[in-house]
Amino acid sequence: MDLGLSEDHFSRPVGLFLASDIQQLQQAIEECKRVILELPEQSEKQKDAVVRLIHLRLKLQELKDPNEDEPNLRVLLDHRFYKEKSKSVKQTCDKCNTIIWGLIQTWYTCTGCCYRCHSKCLGLISKPCVSSRVSHQAEYELNICPEIGLDSQDYRCAECRAPISLRGVPSEARQCDYTGQYYCSHCHWNDLAIIPARVVHNWDFEPRKVSRCSMRYLALMVSRPVLRLREINPLLFNYVEELVEIRKLRQDILLMKPYFITCKEAMEARLLLQLQDRQHFVENDEMYSVQDLLDVRLGRLGCSLAEIHTLFAKHIKLDCERCQAKGFVCELCREGDVLFPFDSHTSVCTDCSAVFHRDCYYDNSTTCPKCARLSLRKQSLFQEPGPDVDA
């Protein structure tokens, strides 16, 4: 529908006069509303009057918020607001909870947390950008919906401090499933998000209602590896078999990493960039992000990681002679093919990194024979000589 604001749009319905300034527009809007109520329901005249009412309101908004030259960048409370160029996308202001009419209104978006608002609402913002919190304190609330009660909030919104009540008077109290706190309808739009605490404790990925602030924080945190699962809930590995497979693949990749950082061909092929979206996978095998766990739940992570594992192993064992030369021979039987520490049938000494056939290692000793030889050699070198005995 054409939303042009030519004077033809303000031709007067029954009892409506032409308006030009703010006061006249307000009077025209009230008169149009009265006429709409008097006209028959669903009649053509009533529909026409409703359309004219919309145009009158748009014209009033244009006069209140003229599209004057605004700075392209505004920095407030760690937000970095950039003026939006799009005029056709319909958005809602995060501050006043009303529609942003891009055709006639200037509006801004924070590049850090995607907070959107009218230019006139910028000065009313009181909540800092959540991206700064992510940068300085990247951690989750890991208690499931830690409610402390509306009375402990003095019956006020946890964010804007507006009066709220469970009865909806003066405003409805809405609970955020992430923080456990209560918010007003302006700060809590019933957005849905996956709750990290429910994932790590119950393997529950059902989205639940959260406040706007929590939604933005969880969106920014979703790919950050801040969950040390073996400390938070070690029993999860007994319950979710896929996690055990993922952990083994990650451990193997860490064993492959030294081959790549010393191999010219691997560096030129930039093999480690296969995991550039999950950089923590080449740094440790303990940390997980919520996105990692969601991909495990959907069956995507296991498949993609297995493909990368196969590609890495192929380079080391088949494609690159330099990496092949860094293989091992079993220290016990000294037979069979060249061994690599990431092979499934090998055992690796945690002290000296010697590699053995798993069967050879457990059949002969539970102690690394290489470490045992080194220990005996050290004892012989530092052993004190005994007293001389007369002939």
Side-chain angles (χ1 to χ4, degrees), residues 160 163 209 221 304 331 368 379:
C160 70
K209 295 178 180 179
M221 286 284 291
S304 63
E331 295 274 344
C368 171
Q379 290 179 9

Side-chain angles (χ1 to χ4, degrees), residues 76-143:
L76 297 167
L77 298 175
D78 294 326
H79 292 279
R80 293 183 63 84
F81 286 107
Y82 279 88
K83 186 164 65 173
E84 288 289 348
K85 305 298 183 184
S86 175
K87 301 297 183 183
S88 59
V89 179
K90 184 178 178 181
Q91 302 288 353
T92 302
C93 177
D94 280 305
K95 179 58 185 176
C96 66
N97 202 15
T98 59
I99 294 175
I100 298 173
W101 297 99
L103 287 169
I104 59 175
Q105 292 177 313
T106 304
W107 57 292
Y108 289 80
T109 299
C110 174
T111 57
C113 65
C114 296
Y115 191 102
R116 300 182 183 91
C117 69
H118 299 102
S119 61
K120 64 181 181 180
C121 294
L122 286 177
L124 304 176
I125 295 173
S126 58
K127 195 71 175 179
C129 180
V130 297
S131 64
S132 61
R133 179 182 164 198
V134 170
S135 301
H136 298 96
Q137 189 182 4
E139 59 182 13
Y140 285 120
E141 169 60 63
L142 292 179
N143 293 315

Side-chain angles (χ1 to χ4, degrees), residues 233-261:
N233 185 9
L235 296 178
L236 197 60
F237 289 90
N238 297 335
Y239 176 73
V240 184
E241 295 181 0
E242 293 89 344
L243 282 177
V244 179
E245 298 174 3
I246 297 296
R247 182 174 60 185
K248 180 61 172 66
L249 289 172
R250 291 183 63 175
Q251 290 171 346
D252 288 351
I253 288 172
L254 289 176
L255 293 172
M256 296 175 183
K257 180 181 175 181
Y259 289 86
F260 295 146
I261 61 179

Side-chain angles (χ1 to χ4, degrees), residues 21-124:
D21 60 18
I22 292 179
Q23 184 176 4
Q24 287 178 320
L25 275 172
Q26 290 174 338
Q27 294 174 356
I29 288 171
E30 293 301 320
E31 179 67 15
C32 191
K33 288 163 65 176
R34 184 187 65 77
V35 170
I36 290 172
L37 294 176
E38 293 177 354
L39 290 171
E41 291 282 339
Q42 303 297 324
S43 66
E44 292 299 323
K45 287 186 177 181
Q46 188 188 56
K47 293 178 181 178
D48 187 49
V50 169
V51 171
R52 288 171 180 152
L53 176 61
I54 293 173
H55 292 313
L56 282 171
R57 285 178 168 171
L58 285 172
K59 185 67 175 178
L60 177 63
Q61 188 65 51
E62 181 182 14
L63 292 177
K64 285 184 175 180
D65 184 24
N67 190 15
E68 58 187 16
D69 290 336
E70 297 272 2
N72 289 325
L73 172 65
R74 301 281 295 276
V75 180
L76 297 167
L77 298 175
D78 294 326
H79 292 279
R80 293 183 63 84
F81 286 107
Y82 279 88
K83 186 164 65 173
E84 288 289 348
K85 305 298 183 184
S86 175
K87 301 297 183 183
S88 59
V89 179
K90 184 178 178 181
Q91 302 288 353
T92 302
C93 177
D94 280 305
K95 179 58 185 176
C96 66
N97 202 15
T98 59
I99 294 175
I100 298 173
W101 297 99
L103 287 169
I104 59 175
Q105 292 177 313
T106 304
W107 57 292
Y108 289 80
T109 299
C110 174
T111 57
C113 65
C114 296
Y115 191 102
R116 300 182 183 91
C117 69
H118 299 102
S119 61
K120 64 181 181 180
C121 294
L122 286 177
L124 304 176

Side-chain angles (χ1 to χ4, degrees), residues 124-340:
L124 304 176
I125 295 173
S126 58
K127 195 71 175 179
C129 180
V130 297
S131 64
S132 61
R133 179 182 164 198
V134 170
S135 301
H136 298 96
Q137 189 182 4
E139 59 182 13
Y140 285 120
E141 169 60 63
L142 292 179
N143 293 315
I144 297 177
C145 195
E147 180 183 0
I148 56 177
L150 188 54
D151 57 336
S152 64
Q153 297 180 206
D154 196 25
Y155 295 91
R156 293 183 179 275
C157 172
E159 184 171 340
C160 70
R161 306 305 296 166
I164 54 176
S165 169
L166 293 175
R167 296 181 179 179
V169 179
S171 179
E172 176 190 7
R174 298 179 178 178
Q175 188 179 34
C176 172
D177 197 81
Y178 175 67
T179 65
Q181 294 179 310
Y182 291 88
Y183 299 80
C184 68
S185 58
H186 286 284
C187 301
H188 192 314
W189 297 4
N190 289 327
D191 297 297
L192 298 176
I194 294 173
I195 309 301
R198 295 186 182 275
V199 172
V200 298
H201 292 300
N202 299 333
W203 201 240
D204 179 3
F205 290 86
E206 181 182 352
R208 286 176 167 80
K209 295 178 180 179
V210 296
S211 68
R212 294 292 290 175
C213 182
S214 295
M215 183 200 68
R216 285 190 287 267
Y217 181 76
L218 293 174
L220 290 175
M221 286 284 291
V222 69
S223 297
R224 285 186 168 256
V226 296
L227 297 172
R228 196 182 297 271
L229 287 187
R230 277 185 283 189
E231 290 185 5
I232 300 170
N233 185 9
L235 296 178
L236 197 60
F237 289 90
N238 297 335
Y239 176 73
V240 184
E241 295 181 0
E242 293 89 344
L243 282 177
V244 179
E245 298 174 3
I246 297 296
R247 182 174 60 185
K248 180 61 172 66
L249 289 172
R250 291 183 63 175
Q251 290 171 346
D252 288 351
I253 288 172
L254 289 176
L255 293 172
M256 296 175 183
K257 180 181 175 181
Y259 289 86
F260 295 146
I261 61 179
T262 57
C263 174
K264 181 180 179 181
E265 288 80 3
M267 294 296 287
E268 290 176 351
R270 309 182 78 178
L271 288 179
L272 287 177
L273 287 183
Q274 296 288 330
L275 290 169
Q276 61 181 340
D277 294 333
R278 304 183 199 269
Q279 187 64 32
H280 51 290
F281 278 21
V282 295
E283 295 173 356
N284 60 71
D285 65 337
E286 298 180 347
M287 307 303 293
Y288 292 82
S289 68
V290 170
Q291 187 63 55
D292 293 336
L293 301 181
L294 178 60
D295 289 341
V296 171
R297 177 73 172 80
L298 297 175
R300 298 190 297 224
L301 182 56
C303 294
S304 63
L305 202 58
E307 292 177 0
I308 294 173
H309 183 280
T310 302
L311 176 66
F312 286 0
K314 180 175 179 291
H315 170 85
I316 295 172
K317 301 176 71 172
L318 299 176
D319 298 342
C320 180
E321 294 182 358
R322 186 173 302 179
C323 291
Q324 291 178 36
K326 297 176 183 177
F328 294 81
V329 175
C330 178
E331 295 274 344
L332 292 168
C333 70
R334 301 202 174 263
E335 297 178 356
D337 297 332
V338 175
L339 304 179
F340 293 89

